[in-house]
Amino acid sequence: MIAMSIPFTLSARHKGFNRAEVVDQNFIEFVQLWQGDVRATPRDSEAVLPGSALDARGFRELLESQLISRHLDLMARVLRVQNKVFYTIGSSGHEGNAMVARLTRHTDPAFLHYRSGGFMAERFRKIPGMDPVMDSALSFAASKDDPASGGRHKVWGSKPLWVLPQTSTIASHLPKALGTAVAIEQARRIGHVLPVPEDSITICSFGDASSNHATAQTAFNAAAWTAYQKLPAPVLFVCEDNGIGISVKTPSGWIANNYQHRANLDYFFADGLDLAEGYAQVRRAVEHCRTTRRPTFLHLKTTRVMGHAGTDFEIEWRSIEELFAVECSDPLLRSAGIALASGLYTKEQLLGLYEATRQRCFAAAEEADSRHRLTSLEDVMAPLAPYTPAAVKAEAERADYADKRLAVFGGEAKLPEKLPPRHLAIQIGQALHDLLAKYPEALLFGEDVAQKGGVYTVTKGLNKTFKGSRVFNTLLDETMILGLAQGYANMGMLPIPEIQYLAYFHNACDQIRGEAASLQFFSNGQYRNPLVMRIASLGYQKGFGGHFHNDNSITALRDIPGLVVGCPSRGDDAAMMLRTLMALAKVDGRVCAFLEPIALYMTKDLYEAGDGQWQFDYPAPDQAMTLGEGRIYHEAANDLVVFTFGNGVPMALRAARTIEKELGWQVRVVDLRWLAPLNDAFIAAQASSAKRILVLDEGRKSAGVGEGVITAIVEGGCGATPLKRVVGADTFTPLAGAALLVLPGEAEVVAAARELAAG
């Protein structure tokens, strides 16, 4: 390590409130006033300093990457006030993460936090001809030409460099980084061809403050849980410790104390402020992760200069003495000292490189400002929810795996379409057998899904048929289940994660809302998270309930941009919908949720006990359902049209019998089946011929599906048609029979019809 005295003048130390100017001037003055000893200039293959593992060529390139990162930050602070740049959270003080980029491969998937300018500048070297300055400038400028996000956000991302775009992540990316590491190893076990080399590792960087987040803790725990069972999980967690989170200081020694002795999470420390000292330390961590395939925690010492972002005036909450001390720890000053002491640069050469890099960054920013920006809603939304109906239909109806089906089901006579009509749970299980036979890259996993077959035995037999490498139990952690799903998707597989109950999804909602569903949007369609999430859902469960097992609210799902939400009421629909959902994932990379009504799993009868009218023939494998396609019962009836879904469908059909007897009305029941996106045109078309309309929504009154249905009816020009809504109360669901007090029932449907008749 180079011993340095900081020869700053008092004028620089106290210079105004613009710490970016201070930091900039500090570097220039440090070089100008440097008076250390100079050794003979090393050759490229020689150590930059005695005892260092870093050679001269490597140091020069790392220094250049550090300077690029710094000047991008300085450029952003200057041009933001001119409205030419739209992001000022910088990487200053974290430029040492360039060492991680240099010592890993561009085929090691990377999930980076926002202070990764040095990492990105260095990783760009891995592929000749790529330009870190111009690409970054386009992102800062929110240009449509930005190769990472197409102008949708300032992100560190690159398809050819395997950097999956992250936005302002606060640890939400850690589960999917671990999931990707697990997926790299899982691929070998199922014979899946990876898009990256088999010995790849995943890299995941985050700050010391973010390490305290629950989502980070769930990833660390799952990594240790995996390693404890001697299962490979080659993830390199890089904790870039600058000692502060915006303005809240991390207690001294907290990161080392908290992570150094964790079982099955292998700890390494590296000085990210000193390239000569830290390089070997980083290399040991990377090599350990790659060779042992174990989760590795790299504690990288960094600092933070210039504040959290351009709007963070640190002088308002930090003393000038403290700011001065932080700025003296600037890693670029350490690198400048190494550059001069090693003889690799003279003062003039180093200042020349510094100023040339500044000009390069500003020139790129001015060029980026002249490029196209997103100017239409269509442009903004283009990658959000891709849908190619013809290709999806062809894929959903593809049935070219007859031999596999025969093997899975045990012969021609045992094919499900040859069997008598069955109820929902059985047909979902049969459809899942079908889909795992059709897609060798498909995996099904969650809590209790393997040997037990799930709480309701829906997945019974899958583990025995497809073995533990494709159907397996996970730890009890919904966040990690969905993180695993994203990891498998990143590696080209088709994950089918199960969330045991709808209420449990809310524990992990951000993994879909903030991560999975946003990836296509923020990567401009370059990356995707194809997955089909199954959730046992909704109310009316008898003999077992309360809020967590009878949750009837799906609002948290319906407002996630781009998410497809389907909800069947009967077995044949479920099978066809699952085929379509898997095709949507396979063809268009869509993130999908499949809500399985618990109370209908075992329902066989519709009107009277033993009538068997809620059991249906299994659809042949070449039958699927178009996204948005509803099912209509009694299509010619128009005295009353009932819009509903899930449990509401058999409920409405039973209520319709009473209404027909009592009021003489012919009742049409419309099963929406697809709850997001709602098919507004279909709803309006059904409403247009109705004399009266009833919306039956088993969810809550506020923010439920019913509100979307009514909006489609009104905006479709049918607002004058008499309309009533039957809906659940705005409350949590109580235990036992009291649950039926808050959920809509047949009596309420009939009562609403009477009110329409009276009106």
Side-chain angles (χ1 to χ4, degrees), residues 1 21 39 42 104 106 203 208 266 280 291-292 370 395 440 503 549 560 602 609 649 679 696 704:
M1 182 181 293
E21 290 183 3
R39 66 186 287 260
T104 55
H106 77 277
I203 304 153
D208 50 294
D266 302 342
T291 57
T292 67
S370 70
E395 177 62 30
H549 305 103
I560 297 176
M602 306 302 176
V649 177
N679 188 339
L696 172 56

Side-chain angles (χ1 to χ4, degrees), residues 20 45 72-74 93 110 126 188 221 246 249-250 256 274 308 349 409 436 487 540 595 599 617 630 677 697 727:
S45 59
L72 286 172
D73 284 358
L74 293 170
K126 305 286 185 178
R188 185 182 300 111
N221 178 73
I246 303 185
K249 295 178 182 178
T250 297
D274 190 311
H308 174 70
Q349 289 171 333
F409 290 110
L436 287 173
Y540 304 100
L595 309 184
D617 292 327
D697 178 1
V727 68

Side-chain angles (χ1 to χ4, degrees), residues 157-194:
S158 170
K159 180 63 173 178
L161 295 175
W162 269 100
V163 179
L164 289 79
Q166 310 299 307
T167 58
S168 296
T169 46
I170 307 298
S172 58
H173 57 312
L174 272 70
K176 64 181 180 182
L178 173 59
T180 304
V182 172
I184 290 170
E185 296 296 320
Q186 188 88 345
R188 185 182 300 111
R189 293 193 288 272
I190 70 169
H192 175 72
V193 178
L194 285 167

Side-chain angles (χ1 to χ4, degrees), residues 194-224:
L194 285 167
V196 297
E198 288 189 355
D199 65 342
S200 296
I201 65 173
T202 62
I203 304 153
C204 182
S205 63
F206 50 94
D208 50 294
S210 293
S211 74
N212 300 302
H213 198 282
T215 313
Q217 293 299 316
T218 203
F220 300 145
N221 178 73

